[in-house]
Amino acid sequence: MLEPSESMEIVKVGVILDMKSTVGSMANRTISMALSDFYSRNSHYRTRLNLLTRDSQNDVVLAAFSAIDLMKNEKAHAIIGPQRSSEAKFVINLGEKAKVPIISFSATSPSLSPTEHENKFFVRSAYDDSSQVKALASIVKAYGWREIILIYEDTDYGSGLIPYLIDALQEFDTRVRYRSVVSSNANDNEILMELEKLKKNPTTIFLVHMTAPLSSKLFKQAKIAGMMSEGYAWIATQGLSTLLDPVSDMESMQGVLGLRPYIPNSKKLEHFKLRWIKSADKPDGSAGGSNLFGLWAYDTVWAIAMAVERAGIENSSFLKPNTSKSRVDIAALGTFEMGAKLLDTLINTTFEGLSGNFHLVNGQLEPSAFEIFNVIGTSERVIGYWTKEKGLLSELNDNNGRATNNLKNPIWPGNTIDQPRKLKIGVPVREGFTEFIKVVENKNKTTQVSGFCYDMFHAVLQVLEFPLPYEFVPFHDGSFDELLHKIEKQEFDTAVGDTTIVANRSTFVDFTLPYSESGVSMLVLVKDDERKNFWIFLKPLSWDLWLTTGAAFIFTGLVVWVLEHRINTEFRGPPQHQIGTIFWFSFSTLVFAHSNALGALMPLEHTGESSEQLVKVCAHHMGFCGANLDTKLHRKLDFNVDNLLTKKLNFNETRLKNYTTSEDYHDALSNGEVAAIFDEIPYIKIFLASYCSRYMMVGPTYRTDGFGFAFPLGSPLVPYISRAILKVTEDKEKMENIEKALGNQATCEGQGPTTLSSDSLSVYSFGGLFIIAGIASMSSLLIYVFNFVCFHRPELNNHDPERSFWSKIIDLMKHFDQRDPSLHPFMKRSESRVHPEASPEGNDASPDTDDMQNHSRDSNEGADTGGSDEDEAHSSVGSIYRRT
């Protein structure tokens, strides 16, 4: 450095460093190099900086004492430092009082803000720690971590970042599960005890914000505790990442991800690195990008030297002289008259420094980008970048970068490429209905999972915005409730299987949106052979009961005849008429009574009854139903069917029986072991796809919320998985492919319906009854027509034998339209009462009216005297015809 001449103005600038610290010793060297380099290149400047260095010895009080001494006694126009945020807090207040700019290149805590009114004389020639929080949160999001643990030191530097970091993580729905605060003076044993506590926590993702000395001890103890192995992930903030020791630190930090400001390469920087390496008193033999604080210290000296020259403060002084004999009398501090001008000039100074473009925004540097690196061996491998505009990038010149996982694959702790932390997924091992979930455990201790639920889970992961590594853990010998309690106890992270969403489970786990249809219904046997039976109407009664019923009706007809013979004209007349009346009455009574007997058909056949009907039959007709129902119904372990059957439908719990496979269902129903099986609709459809129209789903559907994936209460993954489920279920083509795992139900088409909504029997079921009635009616009609034709045939032939056939038919129809002269007297009396307007004297009487009247009178006389057998026969035939 050039010696100042007499014409040059000397400007005093204080420097407060911790000379025994890595940053302090490194900064002291770079500051000296910066001063020499600046005036070598700017020898024409009228001003020269005179740096007055003080050692704070990592003591807040000593740092404050040094600042007072520099301002009060040395008349320093500006102070570089202090080194730590805790030391800078009080020194900044002193600078505000004395109007002396305080420029720190290492006090990065967000609690010290140059924008605050009381800190307006504070300049940070470094990055605010809070500038890195969005980059850190983006890394966490990129790897799909939704829970992390923060580890930070108990200092202003450590705690100052935490509120900003938590806010940034919450924007990406990442929850801080635990915050571990470590004393800056903690020894190895205390750190190890804290790590053992963290090891019991299911979250294995850690974000560390500490100074280099403390973090070095932390990672060494973490390796001893086995927490630098596979399944763990560690992220270091920029304060630690910029000061890694290639030998002592990196050996215990294998697989750690670090974040630090991106420093663009330049010839000026390369030249500085070469000079640094060649320097005789280098502390670690390296200066590279790891010594970012040294680069900021270098640029700080250049910025102050430029500002002092441009501000023209060579003749300035403190307005209030020192009148106190004490070197630390704060009240005796003077006021630097040109302090505000120097501050303003410094804030507006810009140049291309070693660390990049030196440009202060709101009193501090702003980063253009961060680089993300992975510790491998004793070196660092850059795996990506982050910018405010584009988010994560695999390469900084990637114009198409987006805020997604666009990073290169790192090597994780344990020397593995498998990303931590894998979700530990419990999968139920079951015998039946493997179409939903099937677990095969191989001899090499690997697990293969397939089925509808697995395919759905895999499809959901494909549409997530972040990767979600997982491993399946078979769950044996337990109910679904027990599996979900494993999640509650944090033994599993989630469960994939046919798990039904029900209210009582939501008290200890969180469910995603359902991905299957919901509802519980009833499965019954379809007796197709009976429904197609031509004589099914005879089934309600046994043959001996039918014969007994017929005999009883005939006997009843005889009793009615005895009671009605003397007073009811319908039961008088010739013997054959009276016998016909008795049998007709019995037959009609039997037919009408049969309709009531059919009511017993439906409960017995189980082909369409609802669950309520089944309950009524079993509850009130146990003796009647016991032979067919065997007092047992189905219940399933997954959904709480017990509550449905016992509480809502009032079944006795002793009448319930458990089944697990489709074959069990088939055997129980076909053998009559149970009357019905209650189950969820997806299982019923799987069963019906195999057995088609032999069974059917009947009765009302009892609502459930379907199948869902279960997570611990408050899990931040739930909304992401739920949104992904919606995307998958709305994709018709994708859902059709997924549902192929449930089997092809098209094989049942054309074999009859599997779900009936009507309890009614078809017309075919009553075919036998209709035929009998039809035959009886047709027989009566044919007998009547035959007798009618035979009776009038001689009369038709006597008129004109040569007449055509159609003429005879017309005459026959005319005779049919006339009154029957052989009507029995009691029938005439009945008709006269019914049709009093019909008079033999009427104008419309036929030509043979008189003959008919005479014949009628003769018939009446015969009736009074008993009549002849011939008359009795004619009247009986007429009566039967008219009844027909």
Side-chain angles (χ1 to χ4, degrees), residues 493-506:
D493 297 307
T494 183
V496 172
D498 42 341
T499 310
T500 305
I501 303 172
V502 288
N504 66 315
R505 292 175 177 172
S506 65

Side-chain angles (χ1 to χ4, degrees), residues 68-75 317-335:
I68 295 173
D69 178 55
L70 290 169
M71 288 185 283
K72 180 174 182 291
N73 302 305
E74 300 292 345
K75 305 296 189 296
S317 62
F318 280 75
L319 296 180
K320 185 177 180 181
N322 180 14
T323 58
S324 174
K325 296 182 180 181
S326 174
R327 296 180 62 87
V328 293
D329 187 359
I330 299 177
L333 282 178
T335 303

